[in-house]
Amino acid sequence: MANVKQGKALNIQDSRILIAGAASLVGSHTADLLLKEGAREVLLLDNFSFGSMEAIAHLQNDPRVKIVRADLMRLPELLDATKGVDGVVHLAAYMTLGFSQTPWQAVDVNIRGAQNMLEACRVNQVKKFIFASSNAVYGYGTGIKGALHEETPFYSVGAPPAAILYGASKIMGEQLCRHYHQSAGQDYVVLRYSTVYGERQHYRAANSLYIMETYDLVRKGLAPVLPGDGTDTKHFVHVSDVARANVAALKSAATDVAVNVSGPAPITTGELVQLVLEYCKSSLKPEIRPDPPGKVRLTSGGAFHIPHDKAGEVIGWKPIVPMKEGVARLLAWLEEQHKKIK
Ligand SMILES: NC(=O)c1ccc[n+]([C@@H]2O[C@H](COP(=O)([O-])OP(=O)(O)OC[C@H]3O[C@@H](n4cnc5c(N)ncnc54)[C@H](O)[C@@H]3O)[C@@H](O)[C@H]2O)c1
C-alpha cells in the first residue's frame, strides 16, 4: 500500500461538485457519473470556446444540473461559481494541438487558469480539487520506452515544441496544486490521464484523432495510413474509466498525490488499425506513410506502457474497458453522428 497523505474525502450524495471545462469529452461523462451516483448538485462551468452545448444537452433538464458560463481567465467569475462548492474537477485546458495553433491562449488557460481556479477554491474553502493532468508530463522524447511510472522524469528530446509546451503546462498545474496544498492546506489529487477516447470524442486530441481518421478513411474505401511500421505504442484510456477515476478521487481521502490513469493495456498503431478494420468488416491493407513534417502527433518511436497500479492503491481505481470494446463504442457513436448529419 502506497504511503499517501490523508485529507478530506467527499460523500458524493451530500456534495455540490463543479466541473471546469465541462462541455466536452471528459466533463460530460464525469457529470453523467456524478449524477448517477446521486450528487446533490453538479455545476457545469465552461466558456464554450471549444466545447459545445451538444456534449451536455442531455443533462440540462436535470434539476441538479446548473450550467455556468464563465471563463477561467476571470477570477471574479470563479470566485462566484465556487461559493458553497465541495469539490472541483478541473479539466479546462488546451492540449498539444491547441498549443501548436494558439500558444498564447494555451499558456494562459493551462497555467493562469489553473491558478485562478485554485485561488477561488482557497477563498471559498473547496474541500477537494481534482486536477486533470496528462501523461505528457513524461515528455514523450524520441524512443521513450518501458514503464512510465509516476516518478519518471520529463524527457522531451526530439518531441515537437507543442507537445513539450503542453507537458510543461501540466507540470506547472501540478506544482500549483502542491503549492496551494503547502501554503493553504488545499486537498488535491492529480490524475495523469493517458490518451482519452470514447463517445463524444472531439477532434482536438492528436492521438485519439488517429482512430477517427482511420475510421473515416476505411468508410470511404481508402487504405488506412500507418505513420510508422505499426509497432509504435499508444496507451489509451476509455472516457468512462476516466470519469470513474475523477469520482474515485473525489471520494478518496488521498491528498497531495499524482497517479496515472491509463487503460488496461497499451496497443500498437498496427493493432489499433486492425481493430478499426475488424469493426468495419474491411479487408483493406494499411499503407505505411510517415507523417508529413510538422504534423503534431505524439509518436513515441518505442514500446512504452503506463502502469496504473498506484491509482489502485491510492484511490481504489482501475480501468475496466478493454480497447476492443472501447473502439467499438466510439465508432458506433461516430456512425450515429454521421447519420444525424445526413
Ligand atoms: N482528451 C485527451 O486525450 C486527454 C488526455 C490527457 C489529458 N487530458 C486532459 O483532460 C482534460 C479534459 O480533456 P477534454 O478532452 O475533455 O477537454 P477539451 O479539450 O475538450 O476542453 C475542455 C473544455 O474546456 C473549455 N475551456 C477552454 N478554455 C476555457 C476557459 N478559459 N474557461 C472555461 N472553459 C474553458 C472548453 O470550451 C472545453 O469545453 C484537459 O485538461 C486535458 O488536458 C485529455
Side-chain angles (χ1 to χ4, degrees), residues 24-78:
S24 188
L25 176 66
V26 177
S28 64
H29 283 266
T30 303
D32 288 344
L33 186 57
L34 284 168
L35 292 165
K36 194 168 155 210
E37 294 219 354
R40 190 149 67 84
E41 191 172 6
V42 179
L43 294 96
L44 305 177
L45 183 147
D46 211 292
N47 70 349
F48 297 93
S49 53
F50 41 82
S52 76
M53 262 313 287
E54 206 184 329
I56 51 173
H58 62 292
L59 300 173
Q60 61 188 338
N61 293 328
D62 189 313
R64 292 170 298 154
V65 169
K66 187 171 165 202
I67 295 171
V68 182
R69 194 174 279 270
D71 198 305
L72 284 190
M73 300 314 295
R74 299 198 193 112
L75 180 58
E77 293 182 358
L78 305 187

